[in-house]
Amino acid sequence: MAARRRRRRLKKQTRRRLQVWGAVAALAAAVWVAANWSTVWPVLVTVLTAAALGGAGWALLRAHRQAVSRDHVWRAQEEARARELSMTQVDALTWQEFETYIAELCRRDGCRNVVVSGKSGDLGADVVGYLADGRKLVVQCKKYAAHRSVSSQDMQKFVGTARLEHGADVALFVTTCRAFTRGALGLALRQDIVALHRDLLGSWVKGAHLESLIPLNGSGGGTRRRPSA
């Protein structure tokens, strides 16, 4: 107990000494500033002005960054709405009309000799044509409800025919649903099948060029769901 009291007394004495020395230092600084005011005040004004300008600049920069961030969010939301708005027209098509529409998008983007199968038993080649650089394009079209997913079985069928049966240089699987299952997307990536889900199709419909969508292959933002198992 005695030792504890001594430690407390030492702490109090130390705090008092620090307070006294602090007060002496502050008084000395005040006396020095008063004696040298003609020299000090321009420096003080410069420092305060720089601090004010720096604070104002930081506030403006922060406000600008927040405005840019809000603008990016707003643009992303508007693009997603625009895609969905255009996709409502696509959703109204029959599966035959959907295949014809995909062929029209291919032609719009410079594909040549585009042919629509328009029948069952086409072994996955709903649309066939040639890209502007001469590569053969084979397209599988699946007009599914937006909430559905493309299964690995769907993808397996296309993988088995796109190149072996049709000699595709670029094999494109395009669907109106929001996602490919994890198995389907993994198979597409391994077999170099371009997987266009609803969001990427919406971008294509809104004017994105097919050549710019091919490298995305199943990725993209908007309302796409995470692939299910």
Side-chain angles (χ1 to χ4, degrees), residues 3-221:
R4 190 178 299 171
R5 290 196 193 98
R6 279 197 298 273
R7 283 198 297 270
R8 287 176 181 170
R9 267 199 303 272
L10 285 172
K11 287 180 180 178
K12 287 182 181 178
Q13 290 172 359
T14 302
R15 280 200 299 269
R16 285 172 186 162
R17 285 179 188 147
L18 289 173
Q19 288 171 352
V20 169
W21 282 111
V24 170
L27 180 61
V31 171
W32 183 86
V33 168
N36 298 275
W37 181 247
S38 60
T39 304
V40 170
W41 77 263
V43 176
L44 184 61
V45 169
T46 301
V47 170
L48 292 175
T49 302
L53 290 174
W58 179 83
L60 288 172
L61 179 61
R62 184 181 179 187
H64 172 71
R65 286 177 175 172
Q66 290 175 342
V68 169
S69 177
R70 287 194 296 269
D71 181 67
H72 286 166
V73 171
W74 177 81
R75 287 179 184 276
Q77 291 172 342
E78 286 301 306
E79 287 174 3
R81 280 196 203 96
R83 284 196 302 268
E84 278 303 306
L85 198 60
S86 61
M87 285 301 295
T88 58
Q89 300 173 353
V90 176
D91 290 337
L93 300 175
T94 65
W95 66 266
Q96 295 96 334
E97 291 170 337
F98 178 58
E99 291 178 2
T100 300
Y101 182 67
I102 293 300
E104 290 172 357
L105 290 178
C106 292
R107 294 188 187 99
R108 183 201 71 187
D109 289 347
C111 295
R112 298 176 287 103
N113 302 327
V114 179
V115 177
V116 181
S117 169
K119 60 183 180 181
S120 59
D122 52 21
L123 297 178
D126 296 321
V127 177
V128 177
Y130 293 86
L131 297 172
D133 59 10
R135 288 177 296 168
K136 187 174 183 179
L137 173 69
V138 176
V139 185
Q140 167 78 86
C141 304
K142 286 294 182 185
K143 189 174 181 298
Y144 285 160
H147 66 273
R148 288 188 57 180
S149 297
V150 173
S151 68
S152 59
Q153 288 81 6
D154 288 333
M155 188 61 69
Q156 286 170 15
K157 293 176 184 177
F158 188 49
V159 167
T161 60
R163 290 186 171 84
L164 292 177
E165 292 290 336
H166 306 296
D169 296 309
V170 176
L172 177 65
F173 196 120
V174 58
T175 181
T176 52
C177 64
R178 297 193 187 285
F180 295 84
T181 64
R182 187 174 284 107
L185 187 55
L187 183 60
L189 292 173
R190 291 193 301 274
Q191 299 296 326
D192 197 25
I193 304 294
V194 181
L196 293 190
H197 53 65
R198 184 180 183 86
D199 288 340
L200 294 178
L201 173 59
S203 296
W204 194 14
V205 170
K206 289 296 293 180
H209 198 282
L210 177 59
E211 292 280 4
S212 70
L213 295 173
I214 288 174
L216 298 180
N217 195 8
S219 64

